[in-house]
Amino acid sequence: MHIHARDENGEPTQSAEIYREIKEEIENRCDVIFQPSTGGAVHHSPQERMQSLECGPEMATLSTGTCNFGTDVFMNNQVTMETFAQRMLELGVKPEIECFERGMIQNALKLAGKGLLQMPLHFDFVLGIPGACPAQLRDLLYLSESLPDRCTWTAAATGKNQLPTAVAAILLGGHVRVGFEDNIYYRKGELAQSNAQLVERVVRIAEELGREIATVAEARRILSIPQKKEK
Ligand code: ZN
């Protein structure tokens, strides 16, 4: 469950305290893999962005490169990447490598080579961001085929590309991310009622296509995350 926090005024925040509150509320209701963003919003500094790592998550995102992001720049230079990866290693947080371009795969593998990331890596291909890689099927094919064996991947795409990209990922053996971060429409002209509605649709499609839905324990196994001890 990939999360971006907001403060009491509805503004994006990377506060560990607010992430911790959200995490507790969710965990009181269901067992999920909680994954805060370390991307935050483009105006957050790297120091602000990495605060979310301190909420005790099993996973967190790690963007391994810089790209244009609409009219802004999403900045992740070598120092930022290494600092984030180092802290995740110390805290035992499994990174989801957020990858907006092909070069970001290479950057992640370089971090693994330096011992800052542990193989097998899990990638999330975020496609269709204005200024970065588009969400055509050939883009997803190229990115997913560029990963070393044993690495796992998820695909996410913005707006109208969300559903076709999710279906393509299901067919290619990947995993999917759907929800309001990337798309707020259920179909053209019709707003989605909830994240759950978007998830339920993709579950129905996966089942029709013969891709079974993982339990949380199976998801941890697939992602090489240690199983949680019973409370
Ligand atoms: Zn995000």
Side-chain angles (χ1 to χ4, degrees):
M1 193 177 280
H2 175 68
I3 305 284
H4 284 255
R6 289 178 184 270
D7 65 17
E8 56 279 10
N9 301 316
E11 295 299 320
T13 176
Q14 287 297 99
S15 152
E17 207 178 312
I18 294 179
Y19 272 106
R20 203 172 294 123
E21 259 178 65
I22 297 169
K23 182 170 168 288
E24 276 171 19
E25 290 292 334
I26 291 172
E27 286 173 352
N28 287 339
R29 290 166 175 77
C30 56
D31 181 22
V32 293
I33 301 171
F34 184 85
Q35 183 203 86
S37 169
T38 66
V42 280
H43 63 271
H44 288 141
S45 69
Q47 289 70 27
E48 281 178 279
R49 282 166 47 194
M50 68 188 294
Q51 289 170 37
S52 60
L53 291 175
E54 309 301 319
C55 74
E58 289 176 273
M59 276 188 107
T61 54
L62 171 60
S63 301
T64 50
T66 298
C67 64
N68 281 8
F69 204 101
T71 53
D72 292 299
V73 173
F74 183 40
M75 177 67 84
N76 294 286
N77 64 22
Q78 192 66 30
V79 174
T80 301
M81 289 187 264
E82 291 189 7
T83 309
F84 282 37
Q86 177 69 47
R87 190 65 188 138
M88 287 183 175
L89 202 59
E90 286 162 7
L91 294 168
V93 175
K94 166 89 182 188
E96 174 163 283
I97 308 296
E98 264 198 329
C99 193
F100 299 75
E101 295 283 3
R102 170 68 177 89
M104 298 189 187
I105 297 175
Q106 226 47 41
N107 290 341
L109 296 176
K110 210 168 118 190
L111 292 172
K114 287 185 168 186
L116 289 165
L117 295 175
Q118 286 170 320
M119 299 291 273
L121 300 173
H122 177 68
F123 289 83
D124 181 30
F125 301 127
V126 186
L127 304 178
I129 301 287
C133 184
Q136 295 188 4
L137 294 184
R138 63 175 181 225
D139 299 310
L140 185 61
L141 192 62
Y142 175 51
L143 291 168
S144 60
E145 289 194 339
S146 301
L147 298 184
D149 288 349
R150 292 176 60 237
C151 286
T152 50
W153 61 275
T154 291
T158 54
K160 65 178 175 19
N161 293 311
Q162 185 170 78
L163 184 60
T165 300
V167 175
I170 291 167
L171 293 172
L172 289 171
H175 306 283
V176 301
R177 173 172 108 187
V178 293
F180 285 165
E181 176 175 7
D182 309 314
N183 164 47
I184 57 171
Y185 288 95
Y186 189 75
R187 58 172 69 88
K188 191 173 165 55
E190 182 187 330
L191 289 171
Q193 290 159 9
S194 62
N195 280 311
Q197 190 191 18
L198 295 169
V199 172
E200 282 163 2
R201 174 168 62 185
V202 89
V203 164
R204 287 196 301 274
I205 294 169
E207 284 171 345
E208 286 293 332
L209 293 170
R211 288 290 306 278
E212 208 185 315
I213 306 303
T215 63
V216 183
E218 284 165 346
R220 290 192 177 102
R221 254 194 307 281
I222 291 167
L223 296 167
S224 316
I225 294 174
Q227 297 296 330
K228 269 194 173 168
K229 293 188 186 73
E230 291 296 321
K231 279 180 194 161

